[in-house]
Amino acid sequence: MERRSWAEPYKIKMVEPIRITTRAEREAAITEAGFNTFLLKSEDVYIDLLTDSGTSAMSDAQWGALMMGDESYAGSRSFYHLVDAVRDVYGYEELIPTHQGRGAEHILSQILIKPGDVIPGNMYFTTTRFHQEYAGGTFADVIIEEAHLPASTHPFKGNVDLEKLRALIDGPDRIPYLSLETNVNMAGGQPVSMQNLRETYELCRTHGILVMLDATRAVENAYFIQQREAGYETTSIAEILREICSYSDGATVSSKKDNLVNIGGFLALRDPDLARKARALLVAFEGLHTYGGMSGRDMEALATGIREMVATDDHVRARVGQVEYLGNRILKMGVPIVQPIGGHGVFIDAAMTLMHLDQELFPAQALAAAIYRDSGVRGMERGIVSAGRDPADGSNRRPQLELVRLTLPRRVYTQAHMDVVAESVGAVWEDRDSVRGLRFTYEPDELRFFQARFEEV
Ligand code: PLI
């Protein structure tokens, strides 16, 4: 008999009870939440796939590290442990600790962007683009076209389109840096190839443009390079990660993802002068330069998590393997999802699922609510609501991707949970014609997806 089964490289030491609700309870909860899964109480959620951000289960080593946190205001030992971990694992010398990823994005945008600048990137991310615009810049999308096509099976849909980038460089606008996201979230958790990273860095370097990674999910990107790119089959995840970072001048990281902690983040840089500018803002917006936005114990658990995420390749193989397990089950039922299956979640193509709904009736928002109503599984809209309005003319941006994201926390759920999720998606798919569109009853001005409220049309 062929033996192909694999299992998670850990066993469970502590459990947290979750509650199965009734359909009537869920009807009431989603109505009260204005059909926005962000506004549900977690107690009303059975399996929570809202996000992989800050939802990981920490290891026994990390819980132990919490006890070792040095809470000194200045010069905390835990800060130096974090500096060492970032230098060893990512290869950056200068560390600016922040409370989470958007704190790092804020500082980076403020020190590099001048009003009128253009910041190219391989697809937008909500908070990243917000901070670029807040600093007076304009985001320009330079991702390859395949990234916008859910059914395209291009192995590296996160790649930068070098021709699009060259056209921007030849244009009239100043470009301070390229914002290069690893395992692109809004594209469905899709990786950038090493070759593309190398070529993009070369092109930018010849034009004096910095390359700043969003290395939030760089470990998952490293895994796909190992699986898909010729020459990396036997290279370790740790080595691939170091090489990814070598093609950059710095990085912002939300430590709530790859780094296996519940809060934290950092900006990492190579240039000491740039780091000095960043620290000047850090002390105003986050905290002293040796803790930024974190407590000593946060930094200690984070330093441990950074080393743990690359200590063996088994960790990321099991993590992405679980996403692929869920994705393949959903695919088998004929439900359209973003392909290839991504690194951190399964992204259902809501436009293709709810073909009776115009994009202005928010199909992904409606589909996420329908899945919750069916089973108590909570996903997230990633479509027109997340894209927001164009600051120039106030119209809705209409992204090509209208998706529901089912995002997997790391080391939290079992294969049995994934079976429940897949069955629920299947049930909603069978009954898809009954899902109604939505309209706003409250629309926030900024990052509207977090707090918007809707009613059924
Ligand atoms: O949530 P923060 O502030 O720690 O990080 C912001 C952030 C930056 N970059 C990327 C690629 C992200 O995915 C990201 C946060 N993502 C969230 C919250 C998510 O649910 O995907």
Side-chain angles (χ1 to χ4, degrees), residues 51-53 100-102 105 125 127-128 181 185 214 216-217 254 256-257 380 382 405:
T51 178
D52 62 331
S53 182
Q100 56 185 85
R102 67 198 74 180
E105 292 169 347
F125 184 70
T127 57
T128 319
E181 187 184 337
N185 190 354
D214 180 336
T216 293
R217 296 185 182 84
S254 166
K256 303 172 73 172
K257 285 82 165 176
M380 179 198 292
R382 293 275 83 154
R405 187 181 74 171

Side-chain angles (χ1 to χ4, degrees), residues 71-242:
E71 305 303 341
S72 304
Y73 188 92
S76 162
R77 181 179 62 236
S78 305
F79 169 73
Y80 294 105
H81 289 164
L82 181 56
V83 171
D84 290 346
V86 170
R87 185 189 299 120
D88 292 351
V89 174
Y90 290 94
Y92 301 112
E93 290 295 327
E94 303 285 342
L95 179 75
I96 289 96
T98 57
H99 74 286
Q100 56 185 85
R102 67 198 74 180
E105 292 169 347
H106 177 214
I107 289 170
L108 181 70
S109 302
Q110 291 295 326
I111 59 174
L112 287 180
I113 299 172
K114 294 195 179 78
D117 286 353
V118 166
I119 304 90
N122 51 345
M123 201 170 269
Y124 85 101
F125 184 70
T126 53
T127 57
T128 319
R129 185 177 64 191
F130 171 86
H131 281 295
Q132 291 163 356
E133 291 174 349
Y134 189 67
T138 304
F139 167 80
D141 194 1
V142 294
I143 202 165
I144 58 171
E145 277 312 301
E146 285 86 345
H148 297 285
L149 308 173
S152 160
T153 55
H154 191 293
F156 293 103
K157 287 167 93 171
N159 279 358
V160 171
D161 183 328
L162 292 168
E163 288 314 311
K164 284 189 196 169
L165 181 57
R166 262 191 210 104
L168 272 185
I169 292 173
D170 292 341
D173 300 305
R174 193 184 91 101
I175 301 174
Y177 68 97
L178 170 81
S179 178
L180 183 46
E181 187 184 337
T182 51
N183 235 48
V184 181
N185 190 354
M186 299 300 279
Q190 302 294 325
V192 187
S193 72
M194 198 68 93
Q195 186 186 338
N196 188 254
L197 284 159
R198 208 178 290 128
E199 290 174 358
T200 302
Y201 186 53
E202 270 312 306
L203 176 62
C204 286
R205 215 167 43 170
T206 40
H207 290 88
I209 296 168
L210 298 175
V211 173
M212 292 296 170
L213 291 184
D214 180 336
T216 293
R217 296 185 182 84
V219 172
E220 288 159 17
N221 199 125
Y223 176 71
F224 286 127
I225 288 174
Q226 190 189 56
Q227 297 302 304
R228 296 177 189 168
E229 193 160 351
Y232 289 93
E233 301 84 350
T234 58
T235 314
S236 71
I237 296 298
E239 287 172 274
I240 296 173
L241 178 61
R242 282 289 294 245

